[in-house]
Amino acid sequence: MKKCSHLLVVGLVLLLAGAAQAATSAAARDEVLVIVGAAGDDAFVPGFAAAVKNWQTACDRAHVTCTVIGLDEKKNPEASPTDKEQVQAWLKSIVPNSTANAWIAYVGHGTFDGRDARMNLRGPDILPAELAAWLKPLTRPIIFIDGSSASYPFLPALSAPNRIVITATRAGSEVNYARFGEYFAAALVSEDSDIDQDGQISVLEAFVTAAQKVKAFYDDNNRMMSEHATIDDHGDKAGITADYFKGTRVVKHPQNRAVVDENRARLIALAPSDAEQAMSGDQLQQRARLEQQLEILHAAKTTLPEAAYYTQLEPLLRQLGALYSPAPAP
């Protein structure tokens, strides 16, 4: 009887340990919220729907939860929470201090009245200051992508350490319909977006790819570009536009800026590669430090003698290589 009780206790302990481990793993998984704005005109419905489908596909591939707000049919709108209230409720529901990323993507129209930008939802709109207040309690990493027109004012409002903020425009005055959000969603599920061929599509790669698609659209239609995607990933409330990049490499630097955006965005992917998932937290931090050192060295290349540049470059590349291909155990 004692032996049976002992086995039951051991079994219960193992079951609880397994449940705790599963809960920890679940808490550490990325979470994605896709907010869909009011279409306003039926002509925009297919584009919005395609973007949502691409986000869902990307989340399925990454095995993460994708919540969509703005597409449900409200049988009794007056008795149902507004889309704005649902967004706020979702932000309150997620673990505030998780180490996993919280992705927030807006697909829809945006407006700017000279003072405030808005996400044009069904019902009440969302303003930058409102969203900033809702995000304030969250210390976890946040990736925010606003693919709408006039979206830039959301960038300085939401910019903060441990966040990546992307907008379809570089100013609130770019009020014409923006295509960046649709192209960004498509980039997440396209192998062509893997610019460095490392088996995953980083936030930066999706940003650059989508911006290139936007430019191609305007060039092909002989139209003046009315949207210029902007990214901020270190909290300086400014960001840089896609024309600062060649591939994923920064090729020009903003004036009076010591730090250049893109280092965190280069390293984060919704669906990490097998090599990425095999790294420990310490290894990921080491890689981030090495990547930062590489960027600083690359920026100084023109001021260094060639021999000195390559002397400093080699050990950094060797250390990075060791992270991706560790030496076999003796």
Side-chain angles (χ1 to χ4, degrees), residues 16 24 32 92 172 179 181 190 192 202 212 307:
L16 292 174
T24 301
V32 176
K92 288 182 177 180
R179 290 162 176 80
S190 172
D192 294 338
S202 68
Q212 290 173 342

Side-chain angles (χ1 to χ4, degrees), residues 19 22 91 119 138 163 234 329:
L91 291 171
M119 292 183 194
L138 305 181
R163 292 183 186 174
H234 65 272

